[in-house]
Amino acid sequence: QVQLVESGGGSVQAGGSLRLSCAASGYIDSSYCMGWFRQAPGKEREGVANIDSKGQPSYVDSVKGRFTISKGNAKSTLYLQMNSLKPEDTAMYYCGTSLTFCWGGSRFAEYEYKYWGQGTQVTVSS
């Protein structure tokens, strides 16, 4: 059984920063493909960033240059450093894992991820 637990969300003003964490446990290889998604009220869940089995990151255009995805030293934790936050970044943020290895390119389709955390809320005020 795989478990993902997100934390680090909160309320900040525009221009501020937050660091999200996703702690993975259970039968999960530290090099499996993992990603961050978000879902705003009334909108579909969208991919934000993913990291492949070699540690190569990919980002959706709207967060490039502002967000950084990374794995912890033990590789059982996934991070999302979010800087220069904008009101349009307000959403519930979820981490997911495909439970497979992947190399290169973006992985922003929900069906590619098999397990999800419960989400952590990020609210950015103007």
Side-chain angles (χ1 to χ4, degrees):
Q1 186 75 6
V2 173
Q3 195 169 27
L4 303 175
V5 180
E6 302 97 332
S7 62
S11 297
V12 295
Q13 290 191 326
S17 298
L18 284 173
R19 189 192 197 201
L20 306 184
S21 299
C22 172
S25 61
Y27 189 70
I28 181 170
D29 191 289
S30 60
S31 295
Y32 281 159
C33 194
M34 296 190 73
W36 286 99
F37 282 65
R38 66 186 179 188
Q39 187 168 19
K43 294 188 177 181
E44 293 186 354
R45 191 176 297 191
E46 64 167 348
V48 175
N50 72 267
I51 189 164
D52 74 6
S53 298
K54 288 188 176 181
Q56 183 69 30
S58 294
Y59 302 95
V60 69
D61 286 346
S62 60
V63 307
K64 282 181 181 177
R66 300 189 299 122
F67 290 12
T68 302
I69 187 172
S70 63
K71 286 187 176 179
N73 289 335
K75 294 189 178 179
S76 61
T77 304
L78 183 71
Y79 299 105
L80 185 67
Q81 177 66 44
M82 305 186 296
N83 299 327
S84 302
L85 282 161
K86 303 176 181 180
E88 50 264 44
D89 295 318
T90 295
M92 185 72 80
Y93 282 71
Y94 301 89
C95 69
T97 179
S98 64
L99 287 187
T100 60
F101 300 104
C102 64
W103 294 271
S106 59
R107 299 285 189 277
F108 296 151
E110 281 190 76
Y111 70 84
E112 296 186 87
Y113 294 81
K114 290 184 171 61
Y115 282 91
W116 298 90
Q118 82 291 345
T120 186
Q121 178 68 37
V122 172
T123 303
V124 185
S125 58
S126 57

